[in-house]
Amino acid sequence: MEAVNETWVSGFVLLGLSSDRDTQVSLFVLFLAMYVVTVLGNVLIVLLIRLDSRLHTPMYFFLTHLSLVDVSYATSIVPQLLAHFLAEHKVIPFLSCAAQLFFSLALGGIEFVLLAVMAYDRYVAVCDPLRYSAIMHGGLCTRLAISSWVSGSINSLIHTSIAFQLPMCTHKSIDHISCEILAVVRLACVDISSDEIIIMVSSIVLLMAPFFLVLLSYIQIISSILKMQSAEGRRKAFHTCASHLTVVVLCYGMAIFTYVQPHSSPSVLQEKLISLFYAILTPMLNPMIYSLRNKEVKGAWQKLLGQFSGLTSKMVIG
């Protein structure tokens, strides 16, 4: 291919969701509200776990990491999206695009591995409760959390390196809401078949390996629950897994649909909606799922609110 047909661009234009000004303003208000709820919800979950000693257990240790990942993932995409809703020229510099791609991919990968780790934690809690404390000790929990962060970051580094070492065409418009891997790779002026294979294999490893660990864990969990003689015991065991299982279905279901499928890829609109799902909806829903379906978290909220009300009353009386 001739040299004039390719260039190393200094920035990209993100086409976003809509070119209509009124629609952009409406979307700005909607997504800003959702982002604020996301940040507040996840930060409050982290603070609640830190403040209530009853929640200093492996399950809530991993939930703290999940909340940090969720709020960080949303922050890697949503502020730029909001700024572009109000900007006339929706340009993102080359380095900012690369950074956004790296962090969004890394945090997404970390979340998938964390969900597998949390599934193992629930497996031990249900299938081997007498040895739970001995197995899920602090050292193991820390190593599992670190492994989640490292594996997600390495996978993202591979993807980002592949995407940004490719020579880009002079056409630099990205038909997406952010610098998403598939949208960026499509700008290349060379054959990307081998690169797509590497991305697919890497995605399969990061998505499917944890997914099968989750699946195996829940097969064992369900088998153990069905063997329980007490109906109350079965109900309690299932309740300990319900919140995590709900989040797993949301996250893994959409990811597998997006990246692990036949050659016919989803439409551009589908890709944008899927990105919005992960950037805004999932991080906003996760704290709600764990708060509404978990008695321990609800009890901690009630205790904290009770202490706050008592403190407020004393200040008023004083």
Side-chain angles (χ1 to χ4, degrees):
M1 183 174 292
E2 297 180 4
V4 295
N5 290 334
E6 59 185 55
T7 184
W8 297 99
V9 297
S10 59
F12 302 95
V13 176
L14 291 172
L15 300 183
L17 289 171
S18 173
S19 58
D20 181 72
R21 186 63 180 174
D22 293 336
T23 302
Q24 291 182 16
V25 172
S26 300
L27 291 174
F28 173 86
V29 174
L30 174 63
F31 292 154
L32 176 61
M34 296 176 72
Y35 178 64
V36 170
V37 172
T38 297
V39 173
L40 288 177
N42 284 284
V43 169
L44 287 174
I45 283 287
V46 172
L47 290 177
L48 183 68
I49 293 172
R50 294 287 296 174
L51 293 173
D52 197 313
S53 59
R54 296 174 299 177
L55 301 182
H56 293 176
T57 64
M59 174 181 175
Y60 295 106
F61 171 77
F62 295 126
L63 179 56
T64 298
H65 282 266
L66 184 65
S67 292
L68 291 174
V69 168
D70 279 339
V71 73
S72 300
Y73 186 88
T75 302
S76 72
I77 292 178
V78 179
Q80 165 262 310
L81 177 64
L82 294 174
H84 280 195
F85 278 137
L86 303 181
E88 182 177 353
H89 302 290
K90 308 179 191 304
V91 178
I92 182 170
F94 181 90
L95 291 178
S96 296
C97 185
Q100 183 183 65
L101 176 58
F102 172 79
F103 285 111
S104 61
L105 278 176
L107 292 163
I110 293 165
E111 179 156 359
F112 294 131
V113 181
L114 267 178
L115 290 175
V117 169
M118 294 172 76
Y120 175 72
D121 172 72
R122 292 300 84 203
Y123 158 75
V124 177
V126 173
C127 300
D128 201 357
L130 297 180
R131 296 201 304 143
Y132 178 75
S133 298
I135 296 174
M136 300 302 297
H137 54 83
L140 177 62
C141 292
T142 300
R143 289 195 295 271
L144 289 173
I146 291 174
S147 298
S148 301
W149 287 84
V150 171
S151 59
S153 298
I154 291 175
N155 178 75
S156 179
L157 183 61
I158 294 171
H159 282 202
T160 306
S161 300
I162 291 173
F164 285 95
Q165 61 84 28
L166 295 172
M168 303 293 179
C169 294
T170 52
H171 177 68
K172 57 182 180 178
S173 295
I174 300 178
D175 193 4
H176 212 278
I177 63 169
S178 65
C179 291
E180 196 267 345
I181 180 68
L182 297 177
V184 172
V185 169
R186 292 192 190 108
L187 299 181
C189 291
V190 295
D191 181 20
I192 59 172
S193 301
S194 59
D195 300 291
E196 287 181 319
I197 292 174
I198 295 173
I199 292 172
M200 180 64 70
V201 171
S202 179
S203 298
I204 290 174
V205 170
L206 191 70
L207 294 179
M208 299 308 294
F211 173 74
F212 283 120
L213 290 175
V214 171
L215 188 62
L216 181 61
S217 296
Y218 273 100
I219 289 174
Q220 296 295 324
I221 289 171
I222 293 171
S223 177
S224 296
I225 290 175
L226 293 177
K227 292 177 182 178
M228 293 179 180
Q229 300 297 322
S230 168
E232 177 64 20
R234 290 195 297 269
R235 185 198 65 79
K236 184 177 180 180
F238 177 76
H239 185 76
T240 64
C241 304
S243 298
H244 176 259
L245 187 58
T246 303
V247 174
V248 164
V249 170
L250 285 174
C251 292
Y252 278 105
M254 188 63 72
I256 292 172
F257 171 78
T258 307
Y259 291 105
V260 185
Q261 58 180 322
H263 184 67
S264 56
S265 58
S267 66
V268 173
L269 178 59
Q270 283 180 309
E271 290 180 3
K272 292 180 182 180
L273 294 178
I274 290 167
S275 293
L276 287 173
F277 176 86
Y278 280 112
I280 298 180
L281 193 58
T282 299
M284 184 181 71
L285 290 178
N286 284 354
M288 298 180 185
I289 292 171
Y290 277 99
S291 296
L292 297 176
R293 299 185 61 88
N294 192 299
K295 288 185 178 181
E296 292 174 320
V297 174
K298 287 191 288 187
W301 279 122
Q302 292 170 356
K303 177 184 175 181
L304 184 63
L305 291 174
Q307 292 175 343
F308 180 76
S309 298
L311 180 62
T312 304
S313 299
K314 289 180 181 179
M315 293 177 62
V316 172
I317 294 174

